[in-house]
Every structure is written in structure tokens, then in C-alpha cells.
Amino acid sequence: MKLPAVPGITPVSLDSVARTTAELHALMARLRGPDAARDLGLEAAAVQCAEIAHEQRAGLLALVEHRDADPALLIAGVVAVDATVDDAADLGHFVADTTPGIREVSHARTGRGYPVVIVERIGLSGAQLQAVVLDPDRPRAAVFTLHSPGGRGWLEVAGLAGTLVAGVDLTPAEPARGTRAGSGPSRGGTSARSAGRW
């Protein structure tokens, strides 16, 4: 599974909850400016996001930023889907049946032709978008969840996340030289330069 590098999307390490928290807090504090040192809620938010990412065994946790928008958090992972889900229409029904409070469901295809269902919710807790990309060769899907608590500039950050989703490559990563074929990459995070593979 590979993701393109997208300017404005900065992944954080998923090596440990402590490291994820520290990196995410540093990114959020940089955006907040000099007032960040007095904002105890900022560290609490970083801890909560890090714990959720590790509990869900996420493959990606990133901060999405655009100059005309509030920063948003992006979390992604792979989930099993019903083996009968084999196209975008089936996936749309699956997502609608398992996700309460949906505002809108649309279907599309990624740049590589994978079916994707996009779900958007806008409410009092901010704006949220979920993109579920179906792997046509296996009963699984890559799920990307973008959340903006403030919602300002929602279309800009959603567009950045859309660029990342459009470039997803679901083909299995080839093992590194000297790595056994049965072992995959570690569950760690990715560098800020590249969203990498997971």
C-alpha cells in the first residue's frame, strides 16, 4: 500500500503513542504560534489523537494544513469488508448501512481506477469526510477520515486529502531486499517528506 507525498499533508510517526503525541503537539503548536505554550487543550488534543490512531492500528496520522483553512487531522487504515462488496455501489450501501448521521454519499474512482465512496458530515463538532477505497483484489478497503473541528476552509483541506486519496496504490508493497517475503513493513509512521507505504 503506497501513498503519494502531498504538500500540506504532514504525517507523524506511529512508532509509539509518546512519539506520535510529541510530533503532533509540535506541529499543532507551530500553527498556533506563541499562545500555544499556554494552551493545555492543545496537548490534550494531541494525546487523544495519538491514542485513537494507535487503538485503531492506523497506517497514517497526519496534519493537513492550508493557508486559507483551519488545520485538520487525517487518519487512515485498512479494514476488512464483506466479501460480497465488489463495486462502488455495493461499497456505498455498505458504508451507508454502517455509518450513522451521513449527510452525503458519492461515488468516484481514484487515479488508479479503484472504486471510492466519499461520505461527508458537517455538524456542530466540525466537518468530517470519509473516503473508503475498495481493493478489487482482496476483501478490504483503505479508509481515510479527515476531521476539521473548526471547519473554516473546509473545501481547501478536503481537496488536499482528495489528492492523497486519488493517488493511493493498493498493490502490495514488494519486500525490501533481505526481508522475508512473508513479513511486511513495520507499523511505524512515515516521514514528513513522503506519505510512503503501509
Side-chain angles (χ1 to χ4, degrees):
M1 186 98 49
K2 291 171 262 185
L3 296 171
V6 177
I9 299 181
T10 307
V12 296
S13 170
L14 290 168
D15 288 342
S16 68
V17 174
R19 185 167 174 193
T20 302
T21 300
E23 287 187 20
L24 190 56
H25 184 251
L27 283 170
M28 294 164 76
R30 177 183 55 81
L31 291 175
R32 192 70 186 266
D35 295 334
R38 295 188 298 266
D39 188 349
L40 298 177
L42 206 58
E43 186 170 3
V47 169
Q48 183 180 21
C49 291
E51 288 175 349
I52 289 171
H54 284 269
E55 284 169 12
Q56 294 182 1
R57 301 186 57 79
L60 173 72
L61 175 63
L63 191 69
V64 182
E65 44 186 316
H66 187 281
R67 70 176 182 270
D68 299 324
D70 291 336
L73 287 167
L74 178 66
I75 187 169
V78 176
V79 298
V81 296
D82 191 313
T84 62
V85 175
D86 61 3
D87 63 19
D90 287 347
L91 185 59
H93 294 302
F94 175 80
V95 171
D97 289 345
T98 58
T99 311
I102 289 177
R103 175 181 172 184
E104 183 179 331
V105 177
S106 58
H107 303 192
R109 289 205 172 263
T110 68
R112 294 181 174 269
Y114 301 123
V116 60
V117 171
I118 302 155
V119 177
E120 184 181 24
R121 292 185 215 91
I122 297 177
L124 296 175
S125 62
Q128 186 178 61
L129 180 126
Q130 249 181 353
V132 183
V133 183
L134 183 65
D135 185 338
D137 299 323
R138 294 161 204 81
R140 66 178 188 165
V143 179
F144 298 83
T145 303
L146 178 71
H147 181 71
S148 170
R152 184 182 67 86
W154 174 241
L155 292 178
E156 282 75 14
V157 291
L160 291 173
T163 300
L164 182 76
V165 171
V168 68
D169 182 356
L170 297 174
T171 56
E174 294 191 23
R177 190 171 242 175
T179 304
R180 292 177 301 148
S183 66
S186 71
R187 206 175 65 79
T190 56
S191 75
R193 288 187 207 97
S194 170
R197 60 180 65 153
W198 42 278

